[in-house]
Amino acid sequence: MVNARNSSIHGHVSKGFEAVREAFVENFSSRRELGAACCVYRNGEKVVDLWGGIRNKATGEQWQEDTMTIVHSATKGLAAMTLALAHSRGWLDYEERVCTYWPEFAQRGKETITIRQLLAHQAGLFAFDEPVSRELVADLDRLALVLARQAPAWRPGTRQAYHAISLGFYEGELLRRIDPLHRSLGQFFQDEIASPLGLDTYIRVPEEIPNSRFAILDSPSVLARVLGFPIRLTFATLYPRSNIYRALITNPSAAICNDPQRVYSRNLEVASGGGVGTARAIARAYSVFAAGGKELQLRPETLRLLMAPAIPAEHGFYDECMKAEMQFSLGFCKPGPIALFGHPGSFGHPGAGGSFAFADPLAGIGYAYVTNRMGTKLPFDPRDAALRAAIPAIEI
């Protein structure tokens, strides 16, 4: 146990991974960490398992071994895992049109959108014209009607724009259509991934989990956001008609995942940003994919597709929401010029505030970092970057 700014650091690292522990401690002493956890698996073995700091800033309660926190858009990687399993079971073809599985989707210019385009944020469906309330999100049948009626912002496949919240809703309805049991995405994740692997990770948080299990977020000030975000993105987030404002800040906003009384929303599926879990559980899920996914019956063909390079839209990888070049494929974020993680075949997803998780099949690595102090650096937080840089055999 090491003390850093009156915060206790717990856990263990295997021989050769001591630098990761040093970086974790430095996050508290030099990078203003509040509470966090980091876990790394290599070739199926847990080699880093660290946690520490403060779970609740207001009360001073410590981060415990089983503390869970929301991981925001890192949830997208968990959602993408469900569709990867559906592909392995022969339920969908990534190159097929969405409307092949969901006929009502084929309206208002969406007839030719492929699953690959949708999962790469190339469908132009990053915002909603109709109101999307918490009540609507909780009613999957009504939500599906709104999704089907939405028109793309431009011709699908021509441009990329980050579907910050909307993507998970489209993924969820698609999975309901192809699953023989017609389960929601959150239920499918629980039944087919989380429960078989024994993971403390949820896309739909159940009622019975006590508030004491959850980390309380410490959000950055407006000034910190202005100083931390890239300048073009900062201006865009202040303009109500901008793409990113419509995609992330309104109708519904990312705040739909929070509940003042219960910390995080319960029994509500926001598969693009509402996932809650431990770093240990998320790293374990990615480690299974990194090792070939035998426990989940993932086919080698599916893993090869996940590892393959991203395919750009007609106008390239420049993202009309994020105001920068980002590469996405099959629901995951891929390594690129500003997304420096793992080997080229890696796949994962960052989350707003600093969380990040990924699989590196070439290195046999499954990694996850979670935090409750929301950072402002995009797309990857310096705390996460320091941890990854300390992992042997990962090129950054």
Side-chain angles (χ1 to χ4, degrees):
M1 184 173 68
V2 182
N3 287 325
R5 286 193 172 185
N6 300 318
S7 299
S8 297
I9 309 302
H10 302 269
H12 79 276
V13 297
S14 297
K15 185 178 180 180
F17 288 81
E18 294 85 356
V20 182
R21 180 177 56 209
E22 294 172 7
F24 192 73
V25 172
E26 287 176 5
N27 279 348
F28 287 88
S29 62
S30 304
R31 303 183 188 99
R32 301 186 65 249
E33 188 69 277
L34 179 63
C38 175
C39 186
V40 181
Y41 280 80
R42 184 180 64 178
N43 298 327
E45 177 188 358
K46 186 167 59 179
V47 293
V48 173
D49 189 14
L50 298 168
W51 66 92
I54 305 299
R55 178 187 74 83
N56 187 336
K57 185 178 179 180
T59 64
E61 293 171 86
Q62 297 286 304
W63 190 292
Q64 303 296 324
E65 181 177 5
D66 64 350
T67 294
M68 294 187 286
T69 190
I70 193 167
V71 295
H72 298 292
S73 282
T75 311
K76 290 182 175 71
L78 305 178
M81 291 179 186
T82 67
L83 294 181
L85 290 193
H87 178 271
S88 282
R89 296 177 184 184
W91 297 350
L92 66 80
D93 181 340
Y94 287 123
E95 311 305 330
E96 187 56 82
R97 293 179 301 163
V98 175
C99 64
T100 298
Y101 309 103
W102 178 5
E104 296 86 348
F105 185 83
Q107 56 179 296
R108 305 198 67 190
K110 301 194 300 298
E111 295 84 355
T112 64
I113 296 174
T114 66
I115 292 173
R116 178 180 288 277
Q117 289 173 329
L118 176 66
L119 299 184
H121 305 267
Q122 296 171 10
L125 298 171
F126 54 88
F128 296 109
D129 296 325
E130 297 183 46
V132 177
S133 64
R134 183 182 295 265
E135 290 71 28
L136 181 67
V137 171
D139 187 335
L140 298 184
D141 291 334
R142 287 178 55 215
L143 177 61
L145 298 176
V146 172
L147 297 174
R149 289 195 295 262
Q150 179 61 43
W154 43 67
R155 182 165 61 86
T158 58
R159 299 180 183 276
Q160 177 181 304
Y162 188 52
H163 293 36
I165 301 295
S166 63
L167 179 62
F169 299 145
Y170 286 103
E171 290 174 315
E173 184 58 26
L174 177 61
L175 186 61
R176 281 213 305 164
R177 299 289 177 132
I178 60 179
D179 175 19
L181 299 179
H182 306 295
R183 287 167 290 184
S184 69
L185 189 149
Q187 189 62 53
F188 182 91
F189 177 81
Q190 192 63 38
D191 292 346
E192 305 294 341
I193 298 177
S195 292
L197 298 179
L199 308 181
D200 273 342
T201 299
Y202 303 88
I203 292 178
R204 183 177 65 196
V205 181
E207 291 283 354
E208 59 268 21
I209 299 181
N211 291 358
S212 59
R213 288 285 310 278
F214 299 131
I216 309 300
L217 295 184
D218 182 44
S219 299
S221 65
V222 174
L223 179 61
R225 292 172 183 169
V226 170
L227 296 177
F229 288 170
I231 189 66
R232 294 186 67 189
L233 183 60
T234 297
F235 283 128
T237 60
L238 299 175
Y239 180 48
R241 293 186 179 180
S242 72
N243 293 334
I244 189 63
Y245 193 98
R246 295 179 63 222
L248 181 64
I249 302 173
T250 187
N251 194 34
S253 77
I256 194 174
C257 303
N258 301 325
D259 184 326
Q261 302 300 320
R262 305 297 308 277
V263 186
Y264 304 129
S265 297
R266 310 303 176 94
N267 293 323
L268 191 72
E269 293 190 18
V270 184
S272 280
V276 173
T278 64
R280 184 182 308 108
I282 298 171
R284 166 69 173 143
Y286 272 107
S287 76
V288 170
F289 273 73
K294 290 183 179 180
E295 293 100 319
L296 301 174
Q297 290 79 53
L298 189 75
R299 287 190 295 152
E301 176 190 353
T302 303
L303 182 60
R304 284 195 296 271
L305 291 172
L306 300 182
M307 294 178 64
I311 298 173
E314 289 181 18
H315 292 280
F317 288 118
Y318 179 80
D319 195 282
E320 302 288 347
C321 283
M322 300 302 293
K323 304 298 182 182
E325 182 175 297
M326 294 286 291
Q327 297 187 17
F328 299 101
S329 181
L330 308 184
F332 293 100
C333 178
K334 296 288 290 182
I338 66 169
L340 304 176
F341 66 93
H343 291 87
S346 299
F347 51 91
H349 217 288
S355 60
F356 180 51
F358 74 100
D360 184 342
L362 293 179
I365 292 288
Y367 164 91
Y369 162 75
V370 303
T371 178
N372 63 345
R373 170 158 280 167
M374 299 283 288
T376 59
K377 301 298 182 182
L378 297 172
F380 299 101
D381 192 279
R383 296 164 294 178
D384 155 60
L387 294 168
R388 287 187 285 112
I391 300 173
I394 288 190
E395 300 172 2
I396 296 179

